[in-house]
Structure formats: C-alpha cells, structure tokens
C-alpha cells in the first residue's frame, strides 16, 4: 500500500513509503497483471471500416484537404484584414525582384520566376495549413533546378556554326528547351510530393536533421554565390554542374577576369552595399519601423530607370534582363518523355523542398500557437508544383526571408500570401515590360545579399563543438560533401552519414556499473557519484543502448570488462591450477605415502542455472583464499588436494544484474547473446538476472522464444532494487560472508 504524506507548510518535502514483496516477471505476468480481452479485427473488417463513408467522415476529409474551409468562414475582418493587407503588399514587393533573380539560378528566362511567384502562391492559400510561410521561389531549390536544366540542355547541344572557340549558341532554342526540362521536372516533383502526402509520409523530414539541413543550405549558399560572380563582374563563362562544379566555376571566372565590365561591377557593388545597409537598418529598427524598408524593389526601380535612361546595354555593354512578355502564357502539357532521367533529381528536390517548408511552418506554428499537418503540407506543395507546372513554372518551396517579412509585418492568415500573388499578377499582366532594361548584375546583388543569412549559419560550428561533436560532424560532412560533390550527391552523402552516426551511437554507448544511494532505491554510476555504493557480491551493469546484431558482441565485451569477470579465463585458470595440483599431489604421495582418505561425493543439479556442483566430503583442510575482482590467487597448504580446488569459488561476485531500462528493442541475435551470457556465467557460479525491462521488450523476448530453460521469467525483475533484494537473500546462490 502507498501512503503519501505532506506537511501543512508549503516548504515541506513530500515523502512516499511503499511496502510490497519483491516481484519478478513470472509473478507479475501470472498473478499481478491480467491482459484485457480484445477481439482482433479481421483484415476485411478493417478495410471495410476504412472505406466506409459517412457525413462526418466526408466532412473531415474535405476540410482536411481544403484547410481554407476551416478558417475563412470565421475570418475576423476588423482584426486581421489590415495586417494581412500590409503584409501581403510588403511580401509581394519583395517577391517581385526575388522571382526575377531566382529564375537566373533556375537557368530559365526571368519572366518564369514571376510565373512561379504567382500560381503556386495562389494555390497554397487553399491547400496549405501554415498561416505565415511565404511560398514561392527559393535560392536552394532554384539552384538545384538550374543544375538539372544545364545538364539536360547544355550549350553544346545548341551550337550554330562549329565548335571550340568559334562556337555560337542559339540561346532562344536553348532557353526554350531548358524551360521544357524545368517544367517537366516541376511536374514530377509535384507528383512525388502529392503521392508521399497521400501515403502519410509527412514524417520523412525527420531524417533531414537540423545540422544536416543547415550545413546543406550553407553549402547551397556557396554554390549560389559562386554562380553569381560572373554576373556581378559581367564576364561570360559556361555554367558547370556536378562534382567540383564550384572549383570549375571559380577557375573559369578567374581565367576571364581580365574581361570584367567595369560599369557592371560598379553597379553590382553599389547595389550590394545599399541592400546590405537597408537590411541592417531593418534589423536594427524592426521594432520601430511599421514595415521593413523595401530595399530590393527600390534598387530594381532605380537601376532600371538609370539603365533605360543611359541605354547601358548598348553604350556600356551591360547585360540586361531582356524581353519580358506581357500577360500570362496559355497552359501546356509537360514533356513526359524526360521523366525517367529526371526522377532521381525530382525526388531529391521534392524532399529538400518539403523539409525547408515544414521546418519554417513548425517554427511559426509554435510561435503563434497553432498546428501544421505535415502530410497536408506535402499534399499542398505537391498540388502547387503539379498544377502550376502546366502554366510554365518551376518548383517552389517556402522562402526564409519572405516568410519572416510576412510574419513581422502583421500577417495573420494565408490571405497575406494571396494578396502578394495578386500584386505579382498585376506586374506580369500590366507592367512586366518595364523591367526589361534591368541589369542582371542587380539581380546578382539581390541574390548574394539575401544569402548573408545562410552564411551566418557558420556560427553553428563553434556552438556545436561545445555541445555535440557528432552533430558537428554531420554539419561539416553535409557542408563539404555538398560543396565538393554538388547538392544532389552531397545530400545523399550527408543523409547516409547521419544514419551512420545513429549506428555509431549504438556501437559506442556509455557503459557503467551502478551503485545504490544509501537508504534509497536509486542506483547511479559508481564512477561519477561518490555517494553510489556497490552492493557486496553483486555487479549492476548498464549499457545505454538497445541490443541487436551489430552491437551484441560489443555488449558482452563491455560487460566482461566492466565487471572484471571473464568465465573463459577463470575456467582456464582453474584448469591450470588443477594441473599443477595433481602434479604436486602426486609428488607428495610418492614421498610421504599418505593413507587414502575416504570421500563421499554428492552431485547436486541446479536446474535454474543448468550447472552441476560436485560436493566432496572428507577431511577438512585449511585454506587461505585471496579474492580479486574477477580473479583469485591462493596459498595452498601441503594437505590441499585437487578436489578442494574444484569446490573453491572462482570469484567473490555471485550475481550480475543487467539493467535493461535503456533498452528499447532487441532482435533475435541480441536475445541469443543474453541467453548465452546467462549460461556462460553460470559455469563459474555467477547468476545473471535482468531488471527494468519494458512491457514491449518483454513481449519481444516472448516472441523470440527467450524464456526456455535455463532462462525463466523468474530471472526478470521490474526494477533494479527488486533484483538486488532478491539476489541478497536468494537461497539459490551462495552468499559471501559479508552479504546480509
């Protein structure tokens, strides 16, 4: 019975007293616990229940598929509308230049960035569950898309007259083919995300751990920055893709650096400094400014006006955006023939895009007290990419910078994103041609300044060095693999390494011997806490890992090393001692001719341990034993015989308790290993018991046929303290004189 007493004073310490018998799993399973009777449902019945339709179920499915129906009818106009309008305009103004700029990363004409800033954002309003993320173009995804486009439609495919240095490229045909590839890739990305959402694979993002994603996005920032250097300098180089593309790109830029367009460089540097200054002002005075200063749109408008007035493209050779068609293009069916070659890239982009979006969505949901559905987010992104691809867009995800602007300027719902998309539509339909004189170096400056936030993730390195070396290794591997091998191969390497670290943690767990804190039932590491005292004759071993095929042998090795007991070595030592005892005994008999002593031998079978003990009755001998931890040295008198050696204990430890509290699962190899440990230690009269097994683990052990002689449920105890009390007072095991 449990009694809980508390003093009337608030400062009094709560106490509890429990008095019960020592329990083992044999008694618990047969007497203490009784399973609830449940009738398992047949497979046909489960399918029928799943497919059964009702009004409530239909309503739930519709509302889950279209989350807008859950919040739009109760939308509070007076409270939310003004904030959403301000937020929508601010985000839209930011989305315009970013759409133009990120289209360059995707290796398609700038106008397709505007399309990608309209259609997906509009669709996400209806299908998304996050109220604050801004869907649209994003640097990392755009760069990955551009890599695929360049690989599938390189400049060499569109050479007009000859090759080598005299090669002329048909840019119009090249861009048209790249648009076809990008649109097909976006369609495939949407299909993959939609199917994964239907299959409830929203948990997929958990395999992209935060250090991995941050290292990966920092590496992507390096790729993006390197790809924009040529636009900042105004030099013409080929676009590289694949392993060491960063090295090749830098080499190409430095080889052509003598042809730098000075005017282009000056424009780019001035725009970069101005944008950095504006971003710094927005950050410093974000609490005082009603809305952030739209530095990007200011730069775009001013530089476009100056470029148009000075005719920079003709007079100074400054490269400009070029033709931007007014209006929307009619829908077109993607080229399905390229799907097989694009599938690996599409899957990578789908997973990375979803991971970025769900990470941002969860941050804002936690901050504002609502929930997001990972599976519905997959479906929403899939529909945004799939349906928009028919209107000439490329794959999108959530943007970090725009999402922060949308949230900080007062956005409350997806209405802000809807208004931002309508602003982009207005530009595309009415005034898109205005941006034709915009220098591309301005877009490069916008991209590079926006990457500063990603480069700040370098600060993770010293922080992770202090907190977790393994997570630091994941970050560094993700970063260097992605920089050197490319974003696609780098992500695969990083994910593989992250999984290997999980295996490493199970291979190198912390092993400890536990001791009791006096007058409590608590047990802690004796090497760490001076209050922890080992129980006499008992070793309590804990390994902070689960048991499976990869670490079973390591578990046994650690057990023998920590306890200092190796049955094989002890038996070998006994065999050697017996050999010398026989020789010495024979020599003494030959010299002194002692009369034989009659002895009676009785064989006792310990069924539980499966060990046979031979007890020899005869004349008493005087023996002097010296025990060490797992080893024994002896001083023999002249009357000692080989039978006495057989009767001596090989170690003062009579019981080992395996603490299974940290063990989450065990496989067949692990179960066989524990069983063999119990049998092996029994050969040297050391009993092995288990403590702290969860009900799930016990169920696994029963499934694995673990409980057969000599192992029974009576060797399993619910707590370490139960096991210690049992072992101290058990009659089945000889107790050392100092054990009470």
């Amino acid at each position: 019975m449990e009694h809980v007493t508390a003093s009337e004073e608030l400062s009094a310490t709560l106490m509890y007293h429990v008095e019960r018998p020592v329990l083992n799993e044999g008694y618990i399973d047969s007497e203490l616990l009784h399973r609830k009777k449940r009738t398992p449902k047949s497979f046909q019945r489960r399918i029928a229940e799943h497919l059964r339709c009702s009004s409530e179920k239909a309503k739930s499915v519709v509302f889950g598929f279209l989350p807008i129906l859950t919040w739009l009818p109760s939308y509070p106009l007076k409270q939310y509308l003004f904030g959403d309008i301000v937020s929508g305009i601010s985000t839209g103004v930011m989305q315009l230049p970013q759409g133009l700029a990120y289209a360059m990363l995707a290796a398609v004409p700038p106008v397709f960035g505007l399309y990608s800033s309209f259609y997906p954002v509009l669709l996400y309003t209806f299908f998304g569950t996050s109220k604050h993320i801004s869907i649209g173009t994003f640097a990392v995804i755009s760069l990955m898309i551009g890599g695929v486009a360049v690989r599938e439609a390189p400049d060499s495919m569109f050479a007009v007259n000859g090759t080598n240095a005299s090669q002329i490229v048909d840019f119009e045909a090249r861009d048209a083919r790249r648009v076809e590839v990008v649109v097909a890739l976006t369609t495939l990305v949407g299909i993959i995300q939609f199917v994964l959402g239907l299959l409830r694979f929203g948990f997929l993002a958990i395999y992209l751990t935060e250090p991995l994603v941050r290292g990966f996005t920092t590496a992507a920032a390096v790729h993006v920055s390197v790809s924009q250097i040529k636009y900042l300098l105004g030099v013409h180089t080929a676009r590289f893709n694949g392993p060491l593309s960063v090295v090749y790109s830098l080499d190409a830029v430095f080889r052509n650096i003598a042809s730098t367009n000075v005017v282009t460089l000056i424009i780019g540097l001035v725009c970069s400094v101005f944008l950095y200054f504006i971003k710094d002002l927005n950050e410093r005075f974000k609490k005082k400014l009603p809305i952030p200063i739209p530095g990007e749109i200011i730069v775009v408008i001013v530089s476009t006006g100056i470029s148009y007035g000075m005719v920079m493209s003709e007079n100074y050779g400054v490269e400009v955006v070029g033709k931007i068609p007014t209006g929307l293009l009619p829908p077109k069916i993607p080229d399905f023939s390229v799907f097989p070659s694009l599938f690996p890239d599409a899957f990578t982009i789908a997973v990375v895009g979803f991971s970025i979006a769900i990470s941002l969505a969860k941050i804002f949901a936690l901050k504002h007290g609502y929930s997001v559905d990972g599976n519905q987010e997959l479906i929403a992104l899939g529909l945004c990419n799939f349906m928009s691809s028919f209107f000439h867009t490329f794959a999108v995800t959530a943007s970090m910078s725009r999402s922060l602007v949308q949230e900080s300027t007062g956005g409350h719902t997806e209405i802000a994103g809807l208004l931002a998309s309508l602003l982009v539509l207005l530009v595309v339909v009415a005034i898109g041609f205005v941006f034709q004189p915009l220098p591309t170096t301005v877009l490069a400056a916008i991209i590079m300044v926006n990457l500063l936030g990603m480069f700040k993730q370098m600060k993770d390195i010293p922080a992770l060095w202090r907190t977790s070396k393994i997570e630091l290794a994941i970050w560094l591997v993700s970063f260097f693999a992605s920089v050197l091998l490319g974003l696609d191969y780098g992500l695969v390497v990083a994910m593989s390494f992250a999984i290997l670290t999980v295996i490493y943690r199970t291979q190198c767990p912390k092993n400890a011997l536990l001791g009791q804190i006096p007058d409590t039932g608590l047990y802690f590491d004796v090497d760490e806490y001076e209050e922890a005292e080992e129980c006499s004759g008992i070793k309590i071993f804990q390994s902070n890992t689960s048991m499976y095929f990869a670490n079973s042998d390591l578990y046994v090795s650690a057990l023998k090393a920590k306890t200092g007991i190796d049955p094989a070595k002890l038996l070998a030592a006994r065999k050697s001692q017996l050999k010398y005892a026989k020789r010495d005994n024979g020599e003494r008999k030959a010299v002194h001719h002692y009369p034989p002593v009659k002895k009676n031998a009785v064989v006792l079978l310990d069924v539980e341990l499966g060990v046979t003990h031979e007890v020899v009755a005869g004349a008493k001998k005087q023996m002097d034993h010296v025990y060490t931890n797992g080893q024994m040295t002896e001083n023999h008198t002249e009357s000692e015989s080989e039978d006495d050696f057989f009767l001596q204990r090989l170690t003062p430890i009579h019981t080992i308790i395996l603490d299974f509290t940290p063990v989450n699962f065990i496989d067949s190899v692990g179960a066989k290993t524990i069983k063999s440990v119990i049998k092996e230690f029994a050969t040297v009269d050391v009993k092995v018991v288990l403590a702290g097994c969860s009900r799930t683990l016990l169920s696994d052990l029963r499934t694995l046929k673990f409980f057969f002689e000599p192992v029974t449920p009576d060797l399993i105890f619910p707590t370490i303290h139960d096991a210690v009390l049992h072992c101290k007072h058990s009659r089945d095991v000889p107790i050392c004189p100092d054990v009470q």
Side-chain angles (χ1 to χ4, degrees), residues 315-631:
N315 295 337
Y316 302 99
V318 175
E319 187 176 349
V320 297
V321 168
K323 183 179 180 182
I324 297 180
T326 302
L328 300 173
L329 296 177
K332 182 181 178 182
I333 297 176
D335 182 8
F336 297 108
S337 63
V338 296
F339 275 18
S341 61
L342 299 181
F343 184 82
D345 304 287
F347 187 83
T348 303
I349 293 171
V351 173
V352 173
F354 169 66
S355 177
I356 293 170
I358 196 64
S359 299
L360 285 173
K362 286 183 177 180
I363 290 172
F364 290 118
L366 184 63
K367 182 177 179 180
H368 293 277
Y370 64 91
S371 61
V372 291
D373 184 350
N375 295 312
Q376 180 58 30
E377 284 297 300
L378 259 178
I379 292 174
L381 282 175
L383 289 173
C384 289
N385 285 317
F386 175 74
M387 297 174 67
S388 300
S389 67
F390 290 89
F391 297 90
H392 315 279
T393 66
F394 55 84
V396 297
T397 185
S399 166
M400 202 177 305
S401 57
R402 292 197 309 272
S403 297
L404 289 172
V405 169
Q406 181 170 317
E407 186 259 350
S408 63
T409 53
H412 298 288
T413 64
E414 291 91 329
I415 293 294
L418 174 65
L419 295 175
S421 68
L422 294 178
L423 182 61
V424 174
L425 175 64
L426 177 64
V427 172
V428 172
V429 172
I431 58 173
F433 64 92
V434 172
F435 298 107
Q436 291 180 170
L438 175 64
T440 55
T441 186
V442 175
L443 298 179
I446 291 173
I447 291 172
M448 296 181 76
V449 173
N450 276 316
L451 293 174
L452 290 177
M454 291 188 185
F455 282 114
K456 289 180 180 178
Q457 294 176 151
M458 289 283 189
K459 295 178 181 178
D460 293 348
I461 296 176
L464 290 174
W465 174 262
R466 292 189 296 268
T467 56
S468 174
K469 302 295 191 298
I470 292 180
E471 290 189 333
L472 173 61
I474 294 174
W475 198 103
L476 293 174
V477 168
S478 178
F479 175 77
F480 286 110
S482 300
V483 167
L484 298 175
L485 302 179
L487 296 180
D488 45 3
Y489 294 121
L491 182 63
V492 173
V493 171
M495 291 184 68
S496 302
F497 181 78
I499 294 173
L500 287 176
T501 61
V502 177
I503 299 174
Y504 170 78
R505 289 173 191 262
T506 65
Q507 297 288 295
C508 301
K510 181 180 179 181
N511 303 307
L513 288 180
L514 306 185
Q516 183 182 13
I517 306 299
D519 300 323
T520 71
L522 304 177
Y523 293 82
F524 295 97
D525 188 351
V526 295
D527 293 332
E528 288 194 16
Y529 303 99
E530 57 186 23
E531 293 85 0
E533 299 177 358
E534 286 194 77
C535 303
S536 179
I538 300 174
K539 293 287 185 181
I540 306 171
F541 177 74
Q542 181 190 74
S543 183
N544 191 26
T545 183
S546 294
M547 288 282 294
Y548 68 111
F549 65 92
N551 67 351
S552 296
D553 291 340
L554 297 175
Y555 184 93
V556 176
S557 300
L559 171 64
K560 293 177 179 178
K562 273 289 182 181
T563 59
I565 304 174
D566 189 335
K569 290 182 179 179
L570 292 179
L571 291 174
R574 166 176 277 178
K575 187 176 180 180
S576 176
Q577 291 169 352
L578 285 174
K579 179 180 178 182
Y580 287 114
K582 286 180 180 179
R583 186 187 64 185
D584 295 342
N585 195 30
E587 291 176 355
R588 285 195 297 271
K589 285 182 179 179
V591 174
H592 300 289
H593 302 285
Y594 286 128
V597 180
K598 183 178 179 181
K599 299 172 183 173
N600 298 319
V602 181
V603 177
L604 301 177
L605 179 65
D606 189 331
V607 177
E608 183 175 2
L609 295 177
V611 182
T612 302
H613 304 279
E614 185 175 356
V615 181
V616 182
K620 293 184 179 179
K621 278 83 177 177
Q622 185 179 7
M623 292 189 286
D624 182 17
H625 305 284
V626 180
Y627 288 95
T628 61
N629 189 17
Q631 296 180 344

Side-chain angles (χ1 to χ4, degrees), residues 186-200:
T186 303
T187 305
L188 196 52
V189 168
I191 292 172
I192 292 171
Q193 289 176 331
F194 183 74
V195 171
L196 289 176
L198 290 180
L199 296 176
R200 323 304 290 174

Side-chain angles (χ1 to χ4, degrees), residues 263 267 303 306-308 310-318 320 439:
V263 176
I267 294 172
S303 58
I306 294 174
S307 175
Y308 177 76
M310 298 180 66
V311 196
M312 286 187 170
S313 62
E314 297 180 6
N315 295 337
Y316 302 99
V318 175
V320 297

